[in-house]
Amino acid sequence: MLLSNTCIYGLRASVLLASKLSDDFVTIRELSDELNISFHFLTKVLQMLTKSGILKSYKGPNGGVKLARPASQITFMDIVESIDGKQIIKECALGLPGCGELKPCPLHDQWSALKENILNMMNHISLEQLASNRASDQFNISMHY
Amino acid sequence: MLLSNTCIYGLRASVLLASKLSDDFVTIRELSDELNISFHFLTKVLQMLTKSGILKSYKGPNGGVKLARPASQITFMDIVESIDGKQIIKECALGLPGCGELKPCPLHDQWSALKENILNMMNHISLEQLASNRASDQFNISMHY
DNA sequence: GTATATTAAGATAAAATACTCTTTAATATG
DNA sequence: CATATTAAAGAGTATTTTATCTTAATATAC
């Protein structure tokens, strides 16, 4: 599994937030109900996103969370990095110490190519695209034998 | 991280076995020393591969483990499935219940394409190729924007 | 058969991840 | 000010993954 459960929860909540038309704060309870995720756990996850500046939060009545920037300016990768960290994809699949351009491991070239594809996807797809289900506009991935 | 640590250990040990010229059994101690992995833990990992028929083992003096088939007939995926199971790559990155062709989630198409690439690589690269560092012969992955 | 080499199996421990519960802080409303 | 609503913070539990240690089983050599 590439992404942690925690990260997937964060992504799903963020996409849901991006799909909301109004700019009002949305309560975490509402999100957790819609997504069928434990309220308390989702609270923890969204705290991470708030701390990293992806969400804004507001306490008290009519409070909740909302995206801190327009959905078009938040990428899939922003969420992933904020929750799972920058090193989701290891240098190489075999995790060999010191694997790199200089001393590539047996799988280095193939892995690099796949890694690039994954990272590109994450870096280029925005919450807006995910929310509007138009993510596919952006990409054309192919593989030749 | 796509693969578990356990799985990566199994892969590294298998590639090392595939690189041995003689058909003798190799002790797990020798493998763990060469790979710098805890002997006891590697023993557990290789037990999985033995149980699933990828390795043969032999107890006692001159015992050890060896590949059960020619390295050309064992794929990267054989090892991965045997250790991390068949579901390394979830249906879709967002892990939405019920995501599929019928009711695709926002990321379904992109994810499917990447997934295909990853699975293809794992299914087509053999231990022989990994051991001889000729894995790159097989592939030509590209991505267009 | 005794000693030695080796994997297999089981029991336990440590660390990371996933999840829950309780309390606190901030804000709004009357 | 009192009450209600909400996120933040903290403490605790459960599960999974990673790792270690000990004992058993199997084979060899003498």
Side-chain angles (χ1 to χ4, degrees), chain A residues 90 92-98 105-106, chain B residues 5-19 31-37 42 45-46 49 76 79 83 127 130-131:
Chain A
K90 272 195 177 172
C92 86
L94 297 184
L96 293 168
C105 85
Chain B
N5 244 329
T6 306
C7 185
I8 288 172
Y9 291 166
L11 282 164
R12 289 169 62 184
S14 300
V15 171
L16 184 51
L17 278 175
S19 75
L31 296 172
S32 71
D33 283 351
E34 274 197 67
L35 296 170
N36 245 300
I37 300 172
L42 187 59
V45 178
L46 297 191
L49 295 180
F76 191 98
I79 315 280
I83 296 176
L127 287 186
L130 286 173

Side-chain angles (χ1 to χ4, degrees), chain A residues 37-70:
Chain A
I37 300 172
S38 139
F39 165 71
H40 287 294
F41 191 54
L42 187 59
T43 294
K44 291 292 184 198
V45 178
L46 298 189
Q47 273 173 31
M48 292 191 232
L49 295 180
T50 302
K51 277 182 189 161
S52 60
I54 290 167
L55 301 184
K56 276 190 293 200
S57 70
Y58 199 78
K59 291 176 184 172
N62 308 316
V65 295
K66 64 160 94 168
L67 300 181
R69 310 191 289 276

Side-chain angles (χ1 to χ4, degrees), chain A residues 1-2 8 12 76 88 93-94 96 106-107 110-111 117 120 130 133 136 139-145, chain B residues 1-2 8 12 76 88 93-94 96 106-107 110-111 117 120 130 133 136 139-145:
Chain A
M1 254 207 328
L2 189 55
I8 288 172
R12 290 170 62 185
F76 191 99
I88 22 151
L94 297 184
L96 293 168
L107 209 61
Q110 290 64 47
W111 194 251
N117 281 354
N120 269 325
L130 285 173
N133 214 335
S136 53
F139 283 87
N140 177 10
I141 299 165
S142 63
M143 186 167 190
H144 310 289
Y145 284 90
Chain B
M1 253 206 329
L2 188 56
I8 288 172
R12 289 169 62 184
F76 191 98
I88 24 151
L94 296 184
L96 292 168
L107 209 61
Q110 290 64 48
W111 193 250
N117 281 353
N120 269 325
L130 286 173
N133 214 335
S136 51
F139 283 87
N140 176 8
I141 300 166
S142 64
M143 185 166 192
H144 309 289
Y145 284 89

